Structure formats: structure tokens, C-alpha cells
Amino acid sequence: MKILLLPLALLLGYAAPKPPRIQLKGYFSCQSSLIASTGDALTCYARTQRECRNGEVVLAFEKRLGKRDAKAVFGIVDTIHVRTATPGRYLTITSCTTAGGQPRQYFVLFRSDAASKEYLGSIIRVWGVNAQNQLVTVPVKNIKCLNDDYGAD
């Protein structure tokens, strides 16, 4: 009987290991946004509050680890390091629509001259999440992004 259980025990013992979650020790969350369709999140991290708007930031895709009705616990599965220290450039997480697509949440790097309009017009770079749960650059050419601060004086 023990011999029959040995292959099963070995098989279960050699299950594929889970990939380690990314840890950002010494960083704090600057801004975050839930992705409505999946319950996952996009979060921007920095070492200091000053660097949130102007410095070295980490863009993170966070996968929800629990069920939708359970307490929200997230694990970082992919990151991109971005430098935003150029004057007049800002980073935000906002809803954008690509040509023929549904609105989704994206990280958007834009020039400050776009901040007074309903849609961001001077977009420099955009990052989104692909089907493999990786952060990727999205072409800027046919994207339209909401300015979440529009009308807030």
C-alpha cells in the first residue's frame, strides 16, 4: 500500500513552484487604480512623495490574490521602472480607449500642457497590461485618454 502512495506523494511534492511575488521594500504607493473587468490593480510606487510626481517611479501590475468578495489582497506580478524627472511631464493612471476598443486603465506619461483639457493631448508614453499579465508599451498614435483632473479647480 505504501508503495502505491509513493508515486502520488512524489508527484504532489514536485508540483510547479509558484513564481515569487515582487517585493518593493522602501517604496510606498503614490496612486492606484482598480481594473474593473478583472479586479486587479495598476499602482505607481516611489521611494519618496516628491518622486511620485518628479523622479524615479515603479509602475506595477498587481494581481488580486483572493476571490472578488474576499478582502482585497494583491501581489505584484510585473513592474517597469520609469524616470519622470523632466520638467513639465507627469504620470497618471487613467481610462483610455484605443481604436475600436473598450475603455481600460493605463499608465500615461504626458506633458503638462495637456492638463487643461477633457482628454490628454500631449501623451508621451502609455503602458498597459497584456494577456500574459505583463506591463507593455501601448502605441500612442490611436489612443484617447481621459484627464481625470479636468474641471477640478
Side-chain angles (χ1 to χ4, degrees), residues 9-76:
L10 288 173
L11 181 64
L12 292 175
Y14 289 107
K18 291 182 181 180
R21 278 192 256 154
I22 298 169
Q23 301 289 323
L24 292 175
K25 294 182 181 187
Y27 285 81
F28 73 95
S29 173
C30 299
Q31 58 180 316
S32 188
S33 180
L34 285 177
I35 302 170
S37 61
T38 62
D40 300 326
L42 296 178
T43 305
C44 181
Y45 290 92
R47 290 193 185 273
T48 66
Q49 189 171 4
R50 172 181 267 168
E51 287 190 54
C52 283
R53 283 296 209 183
N54 192 3
E56 184 77 28
V57 296
V58 178
L59 310 181
F61 171 62
E62 298 182 344
K63 196 83 173 140
R64 189 177 189 128
L65 301 177
K67 297 178 184 173
R68 270 212 179 260
D69 57 345
K71 181 181 176 188
V73 177
F74 297 90
I76 300 171

